[in-house]
Amino acid sequence: MSFRKSNAEQLLVNPFTLINKDWMLVAAGNKQSHNAMTASWGALGEIWNYYTSTIYVRPERYTLEFLDREEYYSLCFFDETHRKTLGFYGSHSGRDCDKDKETGLTPVFDQKAPYYEEAKLVLICRKLYTQSFEEKAFINADLYTKNYSKDGLHRMFIGEICEILVKE
Ligand SMILES: Cc1cc2nc3c(=O)[nH]c(=O)nc-3n(C[C@H](O)[C@H](O)[C@H](O)COP(=O)(O)O)c2cc1C
């Protein structure tokens, strides 16, 4: 199955359900080494006259090493039949196993970031900005405590959406 190129203004998606309910894979790296993880927090929008994606990645994630190393990342969205697979990418670390091999997903390397053949929608994004959340910036202390008493503060990445691929 092949993908056709689309553009942001033609995209007919609800970003809230697409990210938070359907979930996505965040992937970065190259043919030699890459990694992907499930994410359900993020945004699609616009800033600095670019159409952008925003993702939030905790410092514990192996994927963060690839996001730091590479200039591009991809966001891959799947249909419901891949829910279990996304659960696997969201509960196992690439430090401990080869998630592609374990699940059978097929990475593709013909763009500036790896993406998956089985996806229904792929966004290829170029990093523009990254910054970690800071405790002192939280308006509501409870929100900080609720989310960060156990794990590290998320790092935000804003990326220009350079390529949109839709499964034909
Ligand atoms: C539904 C779901 C959503 C998730 N969303 C995020 C997220 O937005 N940011 C994040 O840092 N981790 C998120 N995670 C956790 C990572 O996917 C998980 O820790 C993963 O095992 C990290 O893999 P890695 O170590 O190979 O990078 C989510 C997990 C699931 C199951």
Side-chain angles (χ1 to χ4, degrees):
M1 281 215 263
S2 60
F3 291 90
R4 72 176 160 78
K5 289 188 180 183
S6 186
N7 65 58
E9 286 160 25
Q10 288 176 333
L11 213 50
L12 297 175
V13 293
N14 178 327
F16 299 100
T17 53
L18 186 71
I19 296 173
N20 188 248
K21 299 286 183 282
D22 296 353
W23 310 341
M24 59 188 170
L25 288 187
V26 177
N30 55 38
K31 209 167 185 173
Q32 285 68 47
S33 63
H34 69 280
N35 199 57
M37 61 165 236
T38 304
S40 63
W41 289 359
L44 301 178
E46 182 186 328
I47 188 171
W48 307 310
N49 293 326
Y50 291 116
Y51 290 124
T52 52
S53 68
T54 304
I55 54 172
Y56 308 99
V57 182
R58 290 198 195 257
E60 293 85 359
R61 312 301 184 228
Y62 185 47
T63 305
L64 186 59
E65 295 181 22
F66 294 83
L67 288 166
D68 279 335
R69 189 184 82 186
E70 301 292 331
E71 192 182 349
Y72 290 82
Y73 61 86
S74 76
L75 303 182
C76 297
F77 300 89
F78 298 81
D79 64 30
E80 191 57 34
T81 61
H82 293 92
R83 177 74 67 184
K84 206 171 150 207
T85 297
L86 294 197
F88 190 92
Y89 276 81
S91 56
H92 294 74
S93 178
R95 286 192 189 92
D96 308 319
C97 66
D98 182 333
K99 294 192 247 189
D100 298 349
K101 280 220 175 87
E102 296 285 338
T103 61
L105 276 198
T106 317
V108 182
F109 298 97
D110 62 7
Q111 293 283 329
K112 288 178 170 158
Y115 64 98
Y116 288 95
E117 178 63 42
E118 293 80 1
K120 62 174 183 184
L121 170 67
V122 176
L123 308 182
I124 304 290
C125 305
R126 179 175 65 98
K127 290 189 301 181
L128 297 175
Y129 183 87
T130 182
Q131 189 170 37
S132 295
F133 290 158
E134 292 178 31
E135 181 178 356
K136 67 175 190 307
F138 279 82
I139 312 296
N140 178 342
D142 289 346
L143 191 61
Y144 173 81
T145 314
K146 192 174 152 213
N147 287 283
Y148 301 105
S149 46
K150 198 162 61 71
D151 298 311
L153 284 136
H154 286 93
R155 183 119 66 79
M156 172 177 64
F157 287 89
I158 300 175
E160 174 197 0
I161 300 173
C162 301
E163 207 70 80
I164 298 179
L165 308 175
V166 180
K167 182 63 68 61
E168 290 198 298

